[in-house]
Amino acid sequence: DTGVSQDPRHKITKRGQNVTFRCDPISEHNRLYWYRQTLGQGPEFLTYFQNEAQLEKSRLLSDRFSAERPKGSFSTLEIQRTEQGDSAMYLCASGRQGNSPLHFGNGTRLTVT
Amino acid sequence: GEDVEQSLFLSVREGDSSVINCTYTDSSSTYLYWYKQEPGAGLQLLTYIFSNMDMKQDQRLTVLLNKKDKHLSLRIADTQTGDSAIYFCAEDGNKLVFGAGTILRVKS
């Protein structure tokens, strides 16, 4: 497999701007997750898709965050009206059906100035 | 709720064994995982253990699981400088819950 791909690798934006990140999971994986990781911490769960259905959202995911997976393949994560506290690494992971291991992409590092 | 705790830092000499410890809270976890993260990169799946196993060995890696105490450990034999990274333990439910990570520093 080609692995989980995330784009862009780095994004610098000014406070108040909107940003969108993309994740392409491993092709036969129907589960897709978004995590956020800040310096010195482990990844924190944001949201989870099974195919195109968004099954769970963390309380960390404020109204400014929205994620989609329209055709059950790639996913986008949009942050509106970015704040400095949104600066983090955003990680995408995918997995097969059931409790199989998750495979992570290299992440998108967001810096809000 | 779910919670995973790890020691923050471990320093070893090249060639020695490293043991990274983790405690978790969700006794319903089916699998427990170890991931490795190098600077600026995503998480690389190292190994995982099914919850009804006590031990799993995979080349230089040995995972021990004490389900009664909810304790998981990762032993790296013959630690190399390339093993320097952050190691995360994670428990599963319908999503992975991660610890804060253990920084492994290997001195040559």
Side-chain angles (χ1 to χ4, degrees):
Chain A
D1 60 57
T2 56
V4 178
S5 176
Q6 291 188 246
D7 183 66
R9 288 295 310 275
H10 303 276
K11 178 72 178 178
I12 301 173
T13 191
K14 292 188 178 182
R15 191 176 54 186
Q17 298 294 305
N18 300 343
V19 294
T20 301
F21 310 141
R22 178 179 168 124
C23 171
D24 287 272
I26 294 171
S27 58
E28 64 269 26
H29 288 181
N30 58 1
R31 295 185 296 144
L32 187 147
Y33 295 75
W34 285 99
Y35 281 80
R36 182 173 70 187
Q37 186 180 23
T38 51
L39 198 63
Q41 299 297 317
E44 296 172 296
F45 169 77
L46 291 179
T47 190
Y48 154 55
F49 290 85
Q50 175 101 356
N51 299 310
E52 65 275 11
Q54 188 172 18
L55 297 187
E56 189 173 343
K57 288 195 288 188
S58 162
R59 277 175 278 180
L60 291 175
L61 215 65
S62 75
D63 292 345
R64 297 183 297 103
F65 287 70
S66 62
E68 294 183 345
R69 194 183 183 197
K71 297 179 183 175
S73 56
F74 73 92
S75 175
T76 57
L77 177 69
E78 181 184 15
I79 310 173
Q80 296 183 324
R81 304 181 304 283
T82 51
E83 301 172 357
Q84 285 186 318
D86 297 331
S87 296
M89 173 82 90
Y90 290 83
L91 294 163
C92 176
S94 70
R96 296 179 193 273
Q97 187 77 25
N99 287 96
S100 59
L102 294 185
H103 296 265
F104 282 80
N106 280 327
T108 294
R109 179 166 296 285
L110 173 66
T111 303
V112 182
T113 61
Chain B
E2 300 155 321
D3 194 21
V4 177
E5 304 234 344
Q6 299 179 235
S7 50
L8 291 184
F9 185 76
L10 176 65
S11 179
V12 300
R13 292 194 180 279
E14 192 174 18
D16 287 350
S17 292
S18 308
V19 180
I20 302 171
N21 294 300
C22 167
T23 57
Y24 62 97
T25 56
D26 187 358
S27 57
S28 67
S29 295
T30 305
Y31 290 98
L32 292 129
Y33 299 90
W34 285 103
Y35 283 84
K36 176 184 180 183
Q37 187 175 38
E38 297 185 23
L43 276 69
Q44 174 196 349
L45 177 66
L46 272 184
T47 187
Y48 58 98
I49 187 167
F50 190 50
S51 59
N52 69 354
M53 295 172 63
D54 298 323
M55 185 181 91
K56 179 179 179 182
Q57 186 141 4
D58 184 0
Q59 299 182 340
R60 291 190 299 122
L61 305 179
T62 303
V63 180
L64 295 178
L65 174 60
N66 180 330
K67 206 171 176 183
K68 173 176 167 287
D69 294 338
K70 298 195 183 84
H71 183 266
L72 183 73
S73 69
L74 174 70
R75 179 175 179 270
I76 305 173
D78 187 25
T79 314
Q80 302 297 305
T81 53
D83 295 324
S84 292
I86 305 175
Y87 290 79
F88 292 96
C89 156
E91 60 179 356
D92 75 349
N94 61 341
K95 59 183 183 289
L96 288 185
V97 176
F98 288 87
T102 299
I103 298 169
L104 174 64
R105 180 184 164 211
V106 182
K107 296 178 284 188
S108 56

